[in-house]
Amino acid sequence: MAEIEFESEEILREIEEAPSPAALEEIRIRALGRRGALTLAMRELRALDAEARPSAGAALNAAREAITAALGAAEARLSRTVLEERLKRERADTTLPVSFAPEGRIHPISQAFDEVVAIFGEMGFRVVEGPHIEEDFYNFTALNIPPEHPARQEHDTFYFEPRADGTRRLLRTHTSPMQVRTMLKEKPPLRIIVPGRTFRCDHDATHSPMFHQVEGLVVDRETHMGHLKGCLIDFCRAYFGLEDLAVRFRPSYFPFTEPSAEVDIGCSRKGGELKIGKGGDWLEILGCGMVHPRVLENCGIDPGLYQGFAFGMGIERVAMLKYGIPDLRAFYDGDWRWLKHHGFLPLDIPSLVRGSLAGP
Ligand code: PHE
């Protein structure tokens, strides 16, 4: 044999015009595959005359290089087109209205936090948050609860191992340490609320070792019991969505407030059914009082110039009362069926303006 028939022009043209990666692959197999045109032509080299072989071999090698290069270029071109087409196809129209029905639910604790924050936010309170692991000083001492004070026993504290100097860190037993941290860091006037997690070594049907509180603190030059009462009465009525909700202040004791009070809201228990509003019965929902002068002093604020009031409430309790949730422990079970029943839709964001705070 003196010559080998192989034409690469046609193949090169096809490569250039290949409409898709699949078509390109088909051409590659047809040219370079085990039984491809070029492979077969290469095989014929062996049968060629000795003097014709080098030039024919060189020609076929040149053809192979040209085809390989063309394939590479076409592949790059096609993958770009494929990507562009995919981007075009998958473009999301963000102007479309939301039409999905979300599966997830907002936990009643988060919902109650949001509602409480919305109400105090309207009154000009600012949210601050603080550490769960706290120093004894902030949780107790600065709040006028010195080391031997009986209130320390009542708090069922989770302590950490003592350090070399004998001091112990602890899991905060209330959100009140944030009163101290805020007063030490910022100058009055202050108006803050502190939603957060708290811990006490106590576990039964009505107590969980981890629970949630909202703390409130107001410090200004002329802050008095009237401000405290007005603020908390307004809060209770807004939160429960009842303009004529009965609210009373009952004298109480906290080491860090003087005078101290507990706030009860009116309810009726006629026929075994709890109904919030009026009706002669009372339900305790939060603790409060005028900030003790010694606490102000501990935080570098002159009690001769400034006064303040503070309050603290359990979020589980106010959530249970508002939404009619009977069992505290279910809050932490993570049971989807419970959450579906008691939870809230993610798009149902509470706000005073929309009036959705009246709730179910
Ligand atoms: N920290 C108190 C508690 O956990 C509640 C409280 C806060 C009372 C602020 C008065 C003022 O019981």
Side-chain angles (χ1 to χ4, degrees):
M1 211 203 300
E3 230 177 291
I4 296 174
E5 294 267 326
F6 182 76
E7 271 305 329
S8 58
E9 256 152 59
E10 173 70 15
I11 293 176
L12 289 172
R13 201 176 48 74
E14 280 185 43
I15 291 175
E16 217 161 279
E17 287 167 7
S20 67
L24 197 63
E25 177 62 5
E26 187 270 320
I27 302 168
R28 191 191 64 77
I29 293 169
R30 203 146 35 78
L32 306 181
R34 246 165 21 95
R35 273 195 219 110
L38 187 62
T39 316
L40 294 179
M42 289 265 197
R43 236 176 256 165
E44 285 176 29
L45 277 177
R46 264 176 280 152
L48 222 55
D49 302 340
E51 59 271 29
R53 209 179 290 158
S55 66
L60 288 181
N61 273 334
R64 167 184 278 277
E65 266 166 40
I67 292 172
T68 312
L71 283 170
E75 207 177 318
R77 166 176 62 81
L78 284 172
S79 64
R80 237 189 350 265
T81 336
V82 168
L83 179 65
E84 274 161 19
E85 262 168 27
R86 191 166 150 211
L87 286 176
K88 231 183 273 167
R89 200 171 56 242
E90 294 181 1
R91 199 176 57 183
D93 183 352
T94 51
T95 64
L96 281 174
V98 179
S99 60
F100 65 96
E103 267 291 289
R105 292 288 188 282
I106 304 291
H107 195 283
I109 289 181
S110 306
Q111 177 77 12
F113 267 146
D114 288 349
E115 295 184 4
V116 171
V117 165
I119 295 167
F120 285 109
E122 288 281 313
M123 296 187 197
F125 284 72
R126 180 169 50 88
V127 172
V128 298
E129 289 178 294
H132 298 163
I133 298 176
E134 197 42 289
E135 296 294 338
D136 199 287
F137 172 78
Y138 297 105
N139 197 81
F140 292 127
T141 313
L143 287 168
N144 199 30
I145 314 177
E148 300 313 322
H149 199 286
R152 291 207 177 200
Q153 266 80 61
E154 279 164 38
H155 274 219
D156 303 308
T157 313
F158 286 111
Y159 283 103
F160 286 74
E161 290 291 322
R163 286 174 287 210
D165 63 359
T167 58
R168 289 183 296 181
R169 285 187 301 171
L170 47 84
L171 292 179
R172 67 178 180 190
T173 57
H174 49 179
T175 40
S176 303
M178 280 312 289
Q179 290 188 30
V180 179
R181 284 184 178 270
T182 307
M183 285 192 275
L184 282 173
K185 214 172 67 194
E186 297 173 30
K187 297 254 153 312
L190 295 171
R191 207 181 280 186
I192 57 148
I193 49 168
V194 190
R197 211 162 258 191
T198 47
F199 307 85
R200 288 185 203 178
C201 191
D202 200 352
H203 197 190
D204 59 37
T206 55
H207 295 90
S208 152
M210 187 274 295
F211 57 106
H212 301 80
Q213 288 190 336
V214 173
E215 189 82 10
L217 172 71
V218 172
V219 182
D220 209 337
R221 283 193 188 267
E222 275 162 32
T223 310
H224 53 69
M225 204 67 191
H227 294 128
L228 175 155
K229 289 181 73 176
C231 172
L232 293 178
I233 292 172
D234 279 356
F235 164 75
C236 292
R237 291 182 176 163
Y239 178 78
F240 289 101
L242 297 169
E243 260 174 56
D244 57 351
L245 176 66
V247 180
R248 80 173 179 190
F249 291 75
R250 192 166 29 80
S252 183
Y253 171 77
F254 299 103
F256 34 92
T257 48
E258 181 59 36
S260 304
E262 259 154 342
V263 177
D264 299 337
I265 54 169
C267 68
S268 96
R269 295 192 174 86
K270 258 185 228 125
E273 196 202 344
L274 180 69
K275 200 157 175 289
I276 289 166
K278 288 181 190 159
D281 271 339
W282 297 97
L283 263 172
E284 177 197 321
I285 67 155
L286 58 88
C288 62
M290 301 305 296
V291 179
H292 198 295
R294 220 173 286 151
V295 175
L296 293 173
E297 258 166 32
N298 291 343
C299 300
I301 293 177
D302 182 352
L305 291 175
Y306 288 97
Q307 291 141 317
F309 70 82
F311 54 89
M313 86 184 107
I315 273 294
E316 280 83 348
R317 186 167 171 78
V318 296
M320 286 166 84
L321 289 174
K322 179 163 176 179
Y323 311 131
I325 299 172
D327 182 3
L328 175 82
R329 284 175 286 197
F331 275 114
Y332 319 107
D333 284 344
D335 186 328
W336 172 227
R337 293 161 301 178
W338 182 87
L339 196 56
K340 228 171 171 172
H341 182 72
H342 288 294
F344 292 81
L345 290 174
L347 296 174
D348 186 17
I349 298 159
S351 104
L352 272 185
V353 185
R354 285 199 316 150
S356 68
L357 283 164

